[in-house]
Amino acid sequence: MKAIIYSRVSTDKDEQMTSLERQEGELKKLALQFQFEVVNCYREKASGFSLDREELLNILDLARDGEFQCLLVQDDTRLGRGKAKMAILHQLIKYNIKVYTLSNNGEYTLTEADEMVLDIVSTVEEYQRKLHNMKIKRGMRKAVKEGYKPQKNLKNQTGGGRDKKEVPISEIVRLKNMKLTFHDIALTLRGLGFDVSKATVHRRYKEHVENTDN
């Protein structure tokens, strides 16, 4: 399996820097023990309670893209502490990443309490996704009921698909004239493949109105 090594300390003190080197060296031995291919090593100086960690976010991006299958850390506290640790573990599990630790001398095993928390988080996330999809469908139905015909009105359509970054201002104006809220307009456009938020819709509409007045 392809593996990534992640070492973390919380301060810039000299002994902490030595700890980074020691962690990485010991984790390389662990990788050798399990015959993992180490594709990269990341070192970080940051609090375990923070999620705003550049190297950790890079690792999560690689995990999402399937660039590796195993993450090696000294122990679970190197991933994070408190709620931050649970959030990180949740993402790693979603991406099918195995965590190996020196403290376990092998694959990390969740405690019963951690499993309960992650089960609850997964359940809530699933229902949030269902609710989000229902809102998109609701926005679509409302737009069509008001006379919106996407097959006639959408622009930027090509044989290879549309550019999702494009915001169809003409359709925003059209839907707004149909008395849809910015929230429903955003949901409708997302259902049609345009990656836009309520704030973006509101901002583009405001810019359109200002340009029209000028």
Side-chain angles (χ1 to χ4, degrees), residues 6 8 44 46-58 60 79-91:
Y6 179 66
R8 183 186 66 79
E44 195 134 62
S47 169
F49 291 102
S50 172
L51 289 173
D52 188 14
R53 290 182 257 157
E54 184 65 26
E55 301 296 6
L56 175 67
L57 295 176
N58 286 337
L60 291 177
L79 286 177
R81 295 182 182 275
K83 296 176 182 177
K85 185 186 83 170
M86 300 310 299
I88 295 162
L89 283 172
H90 177 61
Q91 289 300 311

Side-chain angles (χ1 to χ4, degrees), residues 85-86 89 108 110-119:
K85 185 186 83 170
M86 300 310 299
L89 283 172
Y108 174 66
L110 293 171
T111 65
E112 288 187 13
D114 287 347
E115 286 184 343
M116 288 178 61
V117 171
L118 291 174
D119 282 344

Side-chain angles (χ1 to χ4, degrees), residues 32 47 49 51 81 130 156 175 201 205:
L32 185 62
S47 169
F49 291 102
L51 289 173
R81 295 182 182 275
K130 288 180 179 179
N156 303 316
L175 293 171
V201 170
Y205 181 78

Side-chain angles (χ1 to χ4, degrees), residues 2-201:
K2 292 184 178 180
I4 280 180
I5 288 175
Y6 179 66
S7 308
R8 183 186 66 79
V9 294
S10 56
T11 70
D12 290 322
K13 294 180 180 179
D14 290 340
E15 59 268 27
Q16 293 285 320
M17 296 304 296
T18 302
S19 175
L20 278 177
E21 295 174 1
R22 188 187 70 253
Q23 287 179 46
E24 187 173 302
E26 293 176 345
L27 289 169
K28 285 181 178 179
K29 293 179 182 178
L30 185 67
L32 185 62
Q33 177 184 338
F34 287 93
Q35 299 182 324
F36 294 148
E37 176 191 351
V38 177
V39 295
N40 215 331
C41 298
Y42 292 88
R43 297 182 181 184
E44 195 134 62
K45 292 174 288 184
S47 169
F49 291 102
S50 172
L51 289 173
D52 188 14
R53 290 182 257 157
E54 184 65 26
E55 301 296 6
L56 175 67
L57 295 176
N58 286 337
I59 289 172
L60 291 177
D61 284 343
L62 292 171
R64 179 197 61 206
D65 296 339
E67 297 294 327
F68 69 103
Q69 295 78 44
C70 182
L71 180 64
L72 307 183
V73 293
Q74 181 180 30
D75 56 59
D76 61 324
T77 65
R78 297 306 88 196
L79 286 177
R81 295 182 182 275
K83 296 176 182 177
K85 185 186 83 170
M86 300 310 299
I88 295 162
L89 283 172
H90 177 61
Q91 289 300 311
L92 292 172
I93 290 172
K94 280 180 60 177
Y95 298 144
N96 296 315
I97 301 298
K98 295 181 182 296
V99 177
Y100 277 65
T101 70
L102 286 170
S103 58
N104 284 81
N105 193 32
E107 188 171 355
Y108 174 66
T109 304
L110 293 171
T111 65
E112 288 187 13
D114 287 347
E115 286 184 343
M116 288 178 61
V117 171
L118 291 174
D119 282 344
I120 292 171
V121 171
S122 296
T123 300
V124 171
E125 186 177 65
E126 177 63 24
Y127 275 90
Q128 285 180 329
R129 183 161 48 248
K130 288 180 179 179
L131 181 61
H132 176 69
N133 290 337
M134 288 172 65
K135 286 181 177 179
I136 290 177
K137 291 178 182 178
R138 172 181 175 272
M140 286 287 293
R141 286 197 299 268
K142 186 173 182 180
V144 172
K145 185 177 181 180
E146 294 290 340
Y148 180 63
K149 297 181 179 179
Q151 68 274 21
K152 292 184 178 181
N153 301 314
L154 281 178
K155 295 183 178 181
N156 303 316
Q157 288 183 320
T158 63
R162 73 175 64 85
D163 183 356
K164 292 187 178 181
K165 294 183 180 179
E166 289 293 327
V167 179
I169 184 61
S170 61
E171 300 312 318
I172 291 176
V173 173
R174 181 182 178 86
L175 293 171
K176 186 62 180 173
N177 290 339
M178 293 179 181
K179 309 302 181 184
L180 268 70
T181 65
F182 290 121
H183 175 74
D184 284 339
I185 293 173
L187 288 175
T188 300
L189 293 179
R190 284 202 295 272
L192 295 171
F194 292 92
D195 186 16
V196 295
S197 65
K198 172 185 173 183
T200 298
V201 170

